[in-house]
Amino acid sequence: MKHLHSGKVRDLYETPEGLLLMVASDRISAFDYVLEPGIPDKGEILTRLSLWWFEQLKDVVPNHVVSAGVPAEFAGRGVLCRKLRMVPVECVARGYLTGSGLTDYRREGVVSGVRLPEGLTDGSRLPEPIFTPSTKAPMGEHDEPMTFEQVVAEVGADVAGRLRDITLGVYRRGAEIALERGIILADTKIELGWDSDGVLTLGDEVLTPDSSRFWPLDQWEPGRSQQSFDKQFVRDWLLSPASGWDRASGEAPPPLPDEIVERTRGRYVEAYERLTGERFRA
């Protein structure tokens, strides 16, 4: 196989048959840095969870998966996929206000061009889910919010409308299923591309703790930072006095302590088991 690319988390290969082999590693990133050490079993958790979600979403949008039957060295964390011509837009849906959306809202009451009601706070549920796309920045640079009008200028009105509809459709289905399991899906990012027939298709990963914010429903309390099943747990440690790291310094973050690694793995495992109803390790 030909190695094509290594990202923050995934490695991509091309098979002799022209398929892509996408392999999820145990690497974890935050603030555009790949951190050390990795989180044990994270790659397998992300792969298995994505495969489970692709099945739940197959009537919402087609996906790129061909087979999970991969060479033994990639078993559990590799997926054979069809090639897609990726859309040059990050497709994000939000049902709750937090993160960069909260920062933008506090500054001007708007998120990606969508004006929101006054009085919202960290963790507030939005009146309805919103499409908040962003640019696809090169590695090491930050994605920038886009308005819907900017997406139209980038890909055309028809495609922009379909991107919005698919993204919100994935969010609504995911949020409904998660809520049944006592979990809030606050927001999610998906990757879409055109297959060889020109059909918009779901690629990469979907509704994992790396691409979404999941909160325990019974601990949800607007007005504060929420307990989380995603890597916000790692972000919070990095920004705490305990890490000793200054984000503005330009220096790489320090290694993650064993306790943070173990607790982060536990959050990923718990998210997988609560969402799917399956044991991660029998």
Side-chain angles (χ1 to χ4, degrees):
M1 291 181 292
K2 178 183 178 182
H3 177 255
L4 299 178
H5 177 70
S6 288
K8 294 176 185 174
V9 174
R10 285 171 175 75
D11 301 309
L12 200 61
Y13 302 85
E14 183 177 16
T15 73
E17 297 77 23
L19 297 175
L20 296 180
L21 173 63
M22 188 173 67
V23 181
S25 74
D26 290 340
R27 298 190 294 270
I28 188 167
S29 67
F31 304 116
D32 295 317
Y33 290 95
V34 175
L35 308 176
E36 294 289 346
I39 307 300
D41 298 317
K42 176 174 173 282
E44 185 174 349
I45 293 168
L46 295 183
T47 299
R48 287 171 57 174
L49 186 56
S50 283
L51 289 170
W52 186 85
W53 277 116
F54 282 132
E55 186 66 22
Q56 314 308 310
L57 296 164
K58 63 184 181 182
D59 63 328
V60 176
V61 57
N63 63 72
H64 68 161
V65 174
V66 173
S67 171
V70 299
E73 61 264 40
F74 302 125
R77 60 182 63 233
V79 180
L80 286 170
C81 310
R82 290 177 288 142
K83 288 183 178 180
L84 303 178
R85 181 168 57 89
M86 303 310 295
V87 172
V89 173
E90 295 279 12
C91 294
V92 180
R94 302 176 190 271
Y96 294 75
L97 188 61
T98 193
S100 62
L102 176 65
T103 301
D104 293 344
Y105 170 80
R106 284 173 169 168
R107 185 170 56 245
E108 52 194 15
V110 171
V111 181
S112 291
V114 180
R115 181 156 297 281
L116 297 176
E118 295 181 2
L120 301 181
T121 187
D122 194 352
S124 288
R125 183 176 181 178
L126 302 179
E128 60 181 5
I130 58 175
F131 179 54
T132 59
S134 66
T135 61
K136 279 191 174 180
M139 184 179 293
E141 298 182 23
H142 295 289
D143 298 335
E144 296 294 336
M146 298 177 73
T147 65
F148 184 71
E149 290 71 26
Q150 288 173 317
V151 178
V152 170
E154 182 76 31
V155 298
D158 178 63
V159 172
R162 290 159 65 199
L163 295 178
R164 179 175 58 189
D165 292 347
I166 291 171
T167 304
L168 291 175
V170 168
Y171 174 82
R172 290 190 173 101
R173 175 64 59 81
E176 177 184 10
I177 291 173
L179 200 60
E180 293 170 354
R181 290 147 170 81
I183 293 176
I184 288 172
L185 173 60
D187 54 42
T188 194
K189 179 184 73 173
I190 65 172
E191 299 278 355
L192 292 166
W194 291 276
D195 69 6
S196 58
D197 295 322
V199 176
L200 272 173
T201 301
L202 187 59
D204 198 45
E205 63 179 337
V206 62
L207 295 171
T208 72
D210 271 17
S211 64
S212 314
R213 284 188 176 89
F214 293 109
W215 300 335
L217 175 61
D218 59 2
Q219 298 177 47
W220 173 51
E221 185 181 328
R224 61 167 175 80
S225 178
Q226 307 301 312
Q227 295 296 312
S228 175
F229 289 109
D230 53 53
K231 61 183 179 181
Q232 189 63 41
F233 185 74
V234 171
R235 295 189 193 103
D236 289 345
W237 179 80
L238 288 173
L239 295 177
S240 74
S243 76
W245 180 59
D246 179 3
R247 185 180 178 184
S249 69
E251 297 181 358
L256 301 174
D258 290 346
E259 178 189 3
I260 297 298
V261 171
E262 292 171 11
R263 292 173 67 185
T264 301
R265 180 189 179 277
R267 298 300 274 176
Y268 276 78
V269 170
E270 184 180 357
Y272 174 84
E273 293 185 342
R274 287 184 61 171
L275 287 166
T276 67
E278 303 169 359
R279 289 288 303 277
F280 176 64
R281 292 277 187 252

